[in-house]
Amino acid sequence: MYLVAHVDTSICSETACKLCTQFCPETNTILYDNDKKTAFVAVDRCKACEICVSICDTMAKHHAIKMIMISDLENPFEMSKAGFNPAKWKELPETVVLEKVAK
Amino acid sequence: MSMDNLKISPALEKYMTKEYRDLVERGPYGKQKKVSEMGTFKEIIEEHPMCAGCAMTLFIRLTMIGLPNPEHTILVGTAGCGRLALSQTSIPFIYGNYGDTNAVASGLKRGLEMRFPEQPKDVVVMAGDGGLADIGFSTVLHSWFRKEKFTTIMLDNEVYGNTGGQESGMTQRGAILKMAPKGKKYEKMDMLGLAKTANVPYIVRMTVTNPTRVASVVRKAVLIAREIGPTFIQAYTSCNIEYAIPTPKVIDDAKSLEAERYGFQEFISDEAKAFLESIEPKKAKATKSTEA
């Protein structure tokens, strides 16, 4: 198992800093949904470098991104399956963190 | 090489990969995308095999946003880390022999000017400190002296990261590396000074700490290279493997180095400045009014 970045959409949607999307070295990995006003992660592209975590904690001070085991995420967004199509993002099931980790 | 070449023939559409179709439909072509829009459009670079948390990758990603016309651009590179990401772009990439990047780019740019007199075609050389300051040193300087019209971008990680950590000309004095265990004995090469001596009209030294600035500097450098002459960007893109920087601290490291010895420097000739103002008069006026 391995860690991936996970954005807490309830915290992220209250801000519009978009800093994590600009500092991620991987392309189209932290995506931004203009409808839901939140960033989210394509887990199959994340290399777990934690730059976004440090940016969100120290530069933006929102503490919205955490590293989470891939097995603890339900319905994560995968670029290789969904492709890049913002119009269809709202049809996708919401990513959920399994309860044992959330607590 | 042009928008027509990128578009998919309708008969072949079902055979093309999802990634390519997304790129043509929702890519940045024809619209100057901003850094703040990242994550809402398909980028020119696809997945690449560079290390996790590499600042060089971040710089290359921002460079691709800054290119004014990616569909009319050709990249020239050489051996080194950078080509691992550059070869994953949907921009023609010429993988030159070690040392001849700027010679290849010179010929390429002259040929393109002859072949496409109506449409400006941009040539951008992107290689590491070893490729440009050590092995390709003579072709770099001669291209500057000949006033060849293309952009040279040095991805300065201060080490030969790809081959196990040998010192390069751009390594700091005293730096201890795996293949330089006693520390480097000589000073870091002053490429900015050499560029100034060669009268390069646009010279920039920068780090990745300000994404918007990276994109705007690359845009300016490519535009100036179209009309005025050679441009040079020297960017600090740390090697977190050879310098043992924990990946969450990559940006902090770039910030501390920026404060210490790698601060943002921009040299622009009067001719280049006048040219930039002539193509973007509104923007120049806006900045002047805010300054006043």
Side-chain angles (χ1 to χ4, degrees), chain A residues 18 21-28 30-32 34 44-45 47-51 54-55 59 79-86 89, chain B residues 18 22 26 35-36 38-43 45-50 52-54 57-58 61-62 208-209 211 247-248 250-251 255:
Chain A
K18 301 184 189 176
T21 61
Q22 299 170 22
F23 278 97
C24 177
E26 302 303 312
T27 53
N28 287 133
I30 302 190
L31 304 159
Y32 196 84
N34 278 328
D44 53 344
R45 293 193 167 202
K47 288 180 184 168
C49 67
E50 295 186 42
I51 285 181
S54 79
I55 291 290
M59 203 182 274
M79 183 66 88
S80 56
K81 283 184 190 163
F84 188 90
N85 195 347
W89 284 346
Chain B
K18 190 160 46 189
D22 284 343
R26 289 173 277 276
V35 170
S36 57
M38 284 164 97
T40 62
F41 62 92
K42 179 81 179 168
E43 284 169 52
I45 310 186
E46 250 309 310
E47 276 186 293
H48 51 73
M50 287 178 77
C54 178
T57 330
L58 175 55
R61 184 177 173 223
L62 295 166
V208 289
T209 51
T247 51
V250 164
I251 305 293
K255 270 187 184 165

